[in-house]
Amino acid sequence: MANNNDKPAIVIAGMHKWYGDFHVLRDINLEVKKGERIVVCGPSGSGKSTMIRCINRLEEHQQGQIIVDGIELTNDIKKIDEVRREVGMCFQHFNLFPHLTILENCTLAPIWVRGTPKKEAEELAMHFLEKVKIPDQAMKYPGQLSGGQQQRVAIARSLCMKPRTILFDEPTSALDPEMIKEVLDVMVELAEEGMTMICVTHEMGFARKVADRVIFMDAGQIVEENTPAEFFDNPQNERTQLFLSQILH
Amino acid sequence: MSTETKNYEPGMHPALPPPANSVGPVRWMRDNLFSSASNTFLTLLGVYLVYLILPPFVQWAFIDSVVLGAESRKECLAIMGEDRGACWSFVYRRWGQFVYGFYPMEERWRVNVAFILTAITIAVVLIEKLRANKQILIAGVLLPVASYFLIVGGSFGLVDVPTNKMGGILLTLIVGLSGIFVSLPISIMLALSRISKLPIFSIMATIFIEFIRGVPLITLLFIASTLLSYFLPPGSNFDLLLRVLIMVTIFSAAYIAEVIRGGLAAIPTGQYEAADALGLSYWQSMRLIILPQALKISIPGIVGSFIGLFKDTTLVVIIGLLDPLGIGMAAISTTEWAGLSTELYVFIGLFFFIFCFGMSRYSMHLEKKLHTGHNN
């Protein structure tokens, strides 16, 4: 195991990104070990989502390197698909497929991308739906579920691809307050099982509880990087202090 | 009205049925037909208009009409005594031409068989239970090929029937149905090309769509019938009906492509991203995620275009093909039936209405069936 864990899950080195003339990400350097849980926070517009969306190439970077599981992301579509098969993603607005049932949402990628036989894929899907505690909703459509249930389905959907890493892009920001906990509980459970996770979130309780490292971004740069305890109790950077004072009332 | 109110503990109020005077047919009529003085006036006016139009029409079309007996308009008039009812004998005597055009009498069974095969194909395509079975689906989709050989002939020991003998309802269905079935896949490809990131595809699709949409169908049909022969190598014999089919198909494909592009634009980017993030390829995400949703949104527009295409088939009369309207116009200029016209137009109208109304209802059924509680 130790040997296997030596190779980092994700390496981002000197990465820059521009939207037109706008320099959104500036010299991002980040190494994520296998099984490590990282929480990314920062004010809106700081580039947190853009950064994690670069990791599975939903956004293209223009300079520097991103290496996921030893595969460097370039324009090579084959390599992009290879990375996407191993990296799951959960979105702020869930992005479930509304025309498919919950079960079909979960079996789609295993069947078409991995070539898993349908029956096997369904068993796999039911296994993960049980894990996120909504097996009884399998035959419903996403539109019939609450936001919290939809987000849990979205998590199950990415788990069905058996990814090595999951990216969470503000998974609880679009949820009603009473539903946030049910999603966070599932995420905590995943974290405890040793999944490599990168979460963009403002749930500081979650960060304190499960994160190995908290990363603070502002104006497209990583400003501070620390263990949760140090990060919350003893922030170094001025901007981190300001941010924390604004969100921790 | 009862004004009694019971007292419940806070938070313990049960759900009660609505008061009796807020539901029921009387209430509905009061809300929808007689809610105000002007509304009442309009309701009565509507009823009066129906009274003015409907009874005389029923009298003319059904009660005073001659259906079978007469051989000519004169006989019709003789039976009725005066010109007061419809002379449906005209449709009855000319039925063969209305349906088959000038298809040889002894070969008409082939057309009948083809009609039945086509009906089966349509049933397979439209009814989900049949479509679910792969073998039935493949058979259903292959039947039009059989229909083609049956109608055209020239192989399998069947006599060759030139396309200029085809007319009437047969012609309408050939042009209308093949236009519909062929234009849909073409329009999907056009729409995808137009939104493609590769400029070569999007520019070509845009030019094609804008050119076809900017030219009236009649012009395209004239091009098909005359101009095209200038471009083709001399001596090449390119069937007129086939040329018309191609023109009608690309014309409706251009329109439907724009409808589908609208549907594609309505799909949130999150759907594309979720498909990408799961590792689906471009074609997989289009086929499994994007198109099913985009086509669902586009159903009303697509069916609207189909209905337009089906009715536009009457334009082929201008370049000398005899659709039911052309057949009918030729028939009412013969000595037996000279002077008839209303019967013809009512009959043709009814024929088109049945088909178009059927399509319209099916589209509504489909929209309802595909609704999954999501509004994107």
Side-chain angles (χ1 to χ4, degrees):
Chain A
M1 279 303 281
N3 196 18
N4 202 13
N5 279 346
D6 285 349
K7 210 171 81 182
I10 295 161
V11 179
I12 302 176
M15 188 256 278
H16 291 257
K17 173 168 179 63
W18 287 263
Y19 282 132
D21 285 336
F22 180 57
H23 199 171
V24 256
L25 293 178
R26 307 175 193 173
D27 192 28
I28 301 290
N29 290 286
L30 178 67
E31 201 174 301
V32 183
K33 288 200 270 307
K34 283 193 176 142
E36 200 175 14
R37 280 92 57 171
I38 290 184
V39 164
V40 184
C41 60
S44 66
S46 59
K48 331 177 276 290
S49 291
T50 311
M51 183 188 77
I52 69 163
R53 287 158 59 86
C54 283
I55 296 173
N56 65 350
R57 195 65 169 199
L58 288 183
E59 305 281 353
E60 195 181 327
H61 62 282
Q62 279 92 26
Q63 202 180 309
Q65 268 190 323
I66 301 177
I67 300 168
V68 181
D69 267 322
I71 304 162
E72 182 177 354
L73 279 172
T74 56
N75 279 326
D76 187 348
I77 192 89
K78 262 190 200 150
K79 285 192 173 160
I80 295 173
D81 281 342
E82 217 174 307
V83 166
R84 284 174 177 169
R85 278 197 289 271
E86 308 306 332
V87 177
M89 184 160 201
C90 294
F91 300 87
Q92 182 176 4
H93 296 287
F94 334 129
N95 299 351
L96 294 179
F97 306 129
H99 62 302
L100 301 176
T101 62
I102 299 309
L103 187 67
E104 287 166 338
N105 262 280
C106 294
T107 56
L108 186 99
I111 290 175
W112 292 96
V113 179
R114 291 239 191 267
T116 315
K118 191 173 175 223
K119 201 150 172 276
E120 216 172 288
E122 280 174 0
E123 281 164 16
L124 187 76
M126 287 312 293
H127 168 75
F128 286 115
L129 285 174
E130 259 158 52
K131 195 179 166 83
V132 301
K133 302 181 189 67
I134 32 175
D136 44 324
Q137 313 282 2
M139 291 305 153
K140 289 196 182 163
Y141 286 96
Q144 298 164 311
L145 267 55
S146 74
Q149 290 174 320
Q150 291 194 43
Q151 191 60 290
R152 284 185 281 149
V153 172
I155 295 174
R157 179 175 69 178
S158 5
L159 290 175
C160 283
M161 284 296 280
K162 303 234 171 109
R164 296 197 193 119
T165 305
I166 300 193
L167 311 171
F168 290 89
D169 188 2
E170 306 207 28
T172 56
S173 304
L175 295 178
D176 288 337
E178 75 249 43
M179 293 169 184
I180 291 178
K181 188 173 178 298
E182 63 187 54
V183 172
L184 288 181
D185 285 347
V186 170
M187 289 168 64
V188 168
E189 205 179 310
L190 272 182
E192 282 164 359
E193 286 171 13
M195 174 72 74
T196 312
M197 293 164 76
I198 302 180
C199 312
V200 173
T201 181
H202 294 132
E203 293 299 328
M204 293 305 139
F206 172 79
R208 233 180 231 282
K209 194 166 170 189
V210 304
D212 297 312
R213 247 192 304 165
V214 180
I215 285 170
F216 178 75
M217 286 182 74
D218 191 30
Q221 297 153 70
I222 295 181
V223 173
E224 188 162 348
E225 195 179 330
N226 223 327
T227 60
E230 277 294 301
F231 180 82
F232 289 112
D233 302 334
N234 189 18
Q236 302 297 316
N237 192 291
E238 206 176 301
R239 282 188 265 189
T240 321
Q241 289 160 2
L242 180 68
F243 176 74
L244 286 176
S245 74
Q246 277 163 342
I247 63 160
L248 302 174
H249 323 282
Chain B
M1 263 201 208
S2 75
T3 48
E4 55 164 324
T5 47
K6 280 185 193 145
N7 286 319
Y8 297 100
E9 289 291 309
M12 299 303 285
H13 201 298
L16 300 175
N21 63 357
S22 65
V23 287
V26 175
R27 175 71 192 209
W28 183 89
M29 279 169 56
R30 212 168 60 200
D31 281 353
N32 294 287
L33 301 179
F34 306 104
S35 60
S36 66
S38 56
N39 205 343
T40 307
F41 171 72
L42 287 175
T43 302
L44 294 178
L45 185 70
V47 171
Y48 179 64
L49 283 177
V50 172
Y51 166 77
L52 274 188
I53 295 164
L54 201 60
F57 179 79
V58 171
Q59 186 80 18
W60 174 81
F62 300 107
I63 297 168
D64 290 339
S65 61
V66 177
V67 179
L68 303 178
E71 293 276 352
S72 69
R73 180 150 190 261
K74 275 206 183 98
E75 282 182 37
C76 259
L77 291 178
I79 294 170
M80 289 185 284
E82 54 175 318
D83 188 6
R84 59 200 169 99
C87 184
W88 297 124
S89 298
F90 161 67
V91 175
Y92 174 68
R93 299 286 167 200
R94 294 285 173 146
W95 181 252
Q97 270 190 22
F98 272 123
V99 177
Y100 307 99
F102 300 100
Y103 210 86
M105 200 75 90
E106 61 281 9
E107 301 293 332
R108 282 180 181 177
W109 64 269
R110 283 157 51 179
V111 177
N112 290 336
V113 175
F115 279 161
I116 294 171
L117 296 183
T118 307
I120 296 174
T121 303
I122 293 174
V124 169
V125 171
L126 297 191
I127 301 171
E128 201 186 5
K129 273 184 197 151
L130 295 174
R131 204 168 51 204
N133 182 321
K134 272 230 174 80
Q135 281 154 329
I136 294 182
L137 180 63
I138 291 169
V141 175
L142 288 180
L143 283 180
V145 180
S147 301
Y148 168 80
F149 282 111
L150 266 173
I151 290 176
V152 173
S155 51
F156 301 108
L158 295 170
V159 187
D160 179 51
V161 178
T163 53
N164 61 16
K165 297 279 183 208
M166 298 169 195
I169 291 173
L170 170 64
L171 182 74
T172 301
L173 291 181
I174 291 177
V175 178
L177 292 181
S178 35
I180 286 173
F181 278 101
V182 180
S183 66
L184 187 60
I186 295 179
S187 60
I188 292 174
M189 297 317 291
L190 278 174
L192 289 179
S193 308
R194 187 158 187 183
I195 61 165
S196 166
K197 281 183 202 137
L198 302 173
I200 177 81
F201 285 108
S202 70
I203 289 171
M204 270 167 46
T206 307
I207 291 173
F208 181 84
I209 290 170
E210 294 304 338
F211 173 73
I212 299 292
R213 289 206 313 167
V215 177
L217 178 57
I218 292 195
T219 314
L220 290 179
L221 290 176
F222 274 125
I223 292 173
S225 75
T226 58
L227 208 60
L228 221 52
S229 358
Y230 292 114
F231 300 129
L232 295 170
S236 68
N237 184 16
F238 194 10
D239 190 84
L240 177 62
L241 180 57
L242 184 60
R243 283 187 261 169
V244 167
L245 265 180
I246 292 173
M247 286 306 186
V248 169
T249 305
I250 61 173
F251 185 76
S252 90
Y255 273 88
I256 298 171
E258 286 298 278
V259 173
I260 294 177
R261 187 168 69 95
L264 287 167
I267 306 299
T269 46
Q271 293 289 309
Y272 292 88
E273 289 177 357
D276 281 348
L278 285 168
L280 294 173
S281 70
Y282 173 81
W283 288 110
Q284 282 174 335
S285 70
M286 284 300 150
R287 191 160 61 84
L288 301 166
I289 309 297
I290 307 300
L291 281 174
Q293 298 182 61
L295 291 177
K296 188 191 102 182
I297 303 172
S298 318
I299 288 172
I302 293 176
V303 174
S305 298
F306 283 168
I307 289 174
L309 180 156
F310 197 76
K311 291 189 297 183
D312 282 349
T313 56
T314 49
L315 290 175
V316 298
V317 84
I318 288 175
I319 54 165
L321 295 179
L322 291 176
D323 81 315
L325 195 56
I327 297 266
M329 304 228 289
I332 57 172
S333 53
T334 58
T335 45
E336 296 109 295
W337 303 107
L340 276 176
S341 63
T342 318
E343 288 86 343
L344 168 67
Y345 298 121
V346 170
F347 169 67
I348 302 288
L350 188 67
F351 162 72
F352 278 101
F353 177 76
I354 289 172
F355 275 86
C356 297
F357 187 65
M359 285 192 248
S360 162
R361 298 305 298 186
Y362 183 77
S363 111
M364 287 167 76
H365 157 78
L366 207 58
E367 273 175 71
K368 245 190 223 154
K369 201 187 73 180
L370 294 178
H371 187 73
T372 57
H374 226 271
N375 283 327
N376 64 35

